[in-house]
Each structure stands twice: as structure tokens, then as C-alpha cells.
Amino acid sequence: MSADPLQRAAAPQRSTTSPSAGGPGTSAIEVRRSSRRRRTVSAYREGDRTIVLIPARMSEAEERRWVNVMLDKLATQESKRRLGDTELAERAERLSAQYFDGRARPTSVRWVTNQNTRWGSCTPAEGSIRLSHRLQGMPEYVVDYVLLHELAHLLVPGHGPRFWRLLEAYPRTERARGYLEGVVAADRLPHVPGARGE
């Protein structure tokens, strides 16, 4: 996904910039079209922007499709850089500041390997948050959603309307929930012998 330096240096035929589909708090997307680029599409982060390089001949519909594909690929790559407990705690602090005005202040945030039926858990009385190791390797926005979900429990213990209103601030809540529901559904599918070369 790293961009070809020659392609980056070439002046784009057309460049469009739009806010990320993720909404406020996520990076802007800049699409650069190049007549020298024939078939390949690539993307990279540049500060708070995501640059997507595409061939000039692509239609607007193809551009939209490829932008989504490349955003997902970048998110997957970034999430594969495994976060340790310290980085996870720092991330929780940033998310609390960004979405909850810093009001959710956990005393500890860590990965655990004993949560196989939950993605995360929170003990508000202790201020502790635990995330299942099964989230490691999932897209960044999914991990952020689970962290925010548990941070919200520091402010509102139950799952009532007030709790869900807090999570509405995160623009990728529905997408992350859909992703996690898909993972759960896939786990429930019957195992088919011989599938995937088994």
C-alpha cells in the first residue's frame, strides 16, 4: 500500500478532497488521479489526510468503490500493528478526550485472554477496562468502538438510552457493530470439512 514514489511525484490530472466517510474526527480523503497510472490503486496516510491514488480513466462509481476498499485495507494494516496495554490505555485516553470531553477516566485498560464471549468489559467501581485479545488484528475503528463502549460505561453503567446517546458521538458505531455481528455469525457457521484446504 505504500505509494510508488514516482507516482507521488507526478502531478495528478485531477484531485478531489472530501471528508472521510467516518465523519468528524477522522481524516480527510484526497483522491489523486494520474494518467500515468494504468491499473493500480494505492493509498497512504499523510498527516491527518488519507491520499488515494487512482488511474485517471476511472469512473466516479469506481473511485468511490476503490476509496472504500483502500480505507478498509489501511485500517486493517494499522490494526495489525499490535497495541500493548500501554498503547491501549493511551488510545482510551485520546478517545475519551475526543468523544467524551475527557470525562471517562479509566484506572487501567488492558488486553485479556479469558473473555471468549465478550469483546470487552468494564468495572465502573474500579475504573478498569478489559478488552478481549480476539479484537487484536481487527480494524482500528472496531477496536476504537469497543474501547468507547467500555469508556461510556464509566459514565453510564447500563445500556439505557443515555448510554447509547453517548456512543452516537462516534461516527462508526453502526459499522463497527455490524463488523462484530458478522464475526459472531461467521463463528456460528457449521464447519465444513475440506474447506480452506483442510
Side-chain angles (χ1 to χ4, degrees), residues 4-189:
D4 177 349
L6 295 174
Q7 294 297 333
R8 285 176 66 178
Q13 184 185 54
R14 183 170 68 84
S15 177
T16 57
T17 304
S18 63
S20 166
T26 56
S27 67
I29 301 162
E30 182 176 335
V31 177
R32 295 180 184 169
R33 290 175 173 259
S34 170
S35 55
R36 292 174 52 189
R37 189 173 281 270
R38 297 288 174 223
R39 290 188 304 266
T40 60
V41 176
S42 61
Y44 60 95
R45 305 280 193 209
E46 189 174 84
D48 64 347
R49 305 174 77 71
T50 301
I51 311 299
V52 182
L53 306 168
I54 63 172
R57 63 172 174 69
M58 270 192 185
S59 69
E60 294 295 321
E62 288 175 310
E63 174 182 317
R64 283 191 300 274
R65 184 176 75 81
W66 276 105
V67 164
N68 287 330
V69 166
M70 298 313 286
L71 287 175
D72 285 345
K73 283 188 177 182
L74 279 174
T76 300
Q77 272 188 345
E78 289 164 353
S79 72
K80 285 183 179 171
R81 297 180 201 128
R82 299 287 167 105
L83 298 174
D85 288 347
T86 302
E87 293 87 1
L88 198 61
E90 289 168 356
R91 188 177 198 138
E93 187 178 333
R94 282 194 306 273
L95 289 167
S96 176
Q98 185 173 358
Y99 294 102
F100 302 145
D101 298 321
R103 292 178 297 133
R105 295 187 187 103
T107 56
S108 70
V109 183
R110 61 192 174 91
W111 295 108
V112 293
T113 57
N114 63 349
Q115 290 191 69
N116 294 314
T117 58
R118 297 183 193 189
W119 297 114
S121 62
C122 174
T123 307
E126 297 172 5
S128 62
I129 291 174
R130 295 158 306 281
L131 262 56
S132 172
H133 72 287
R134 296 178 305 139
L135 288 164
Q136 293 175 329
M138 288 190 188
E140 195 172 273
Y141 72 92
V142 175
V143 176
D144 285 353
Y145 164 73
V146 176
L147 265 175
L148 280 165
H149 184 108
E150 302 311 330
L151 285 165
H153 279 308
L154 293 175
L155 305 173
V156 181
H159 287 104
R162 192 166 150 245
F163 174 85
W164 293 111
R165 275 195 301 276
L166 276 175
L167 283 182
E168 285 174 5
Y170 183 56
R172 301 183 103 181
T173 290
E174 287 307 312
R175 186 173 184 190
R177 286 176 58 126
Y179 184 100
L180 292 170
E181 287 169 8
V183 170
V184 170
D187 286 346
R188 291 182 181 151
L189 290 174

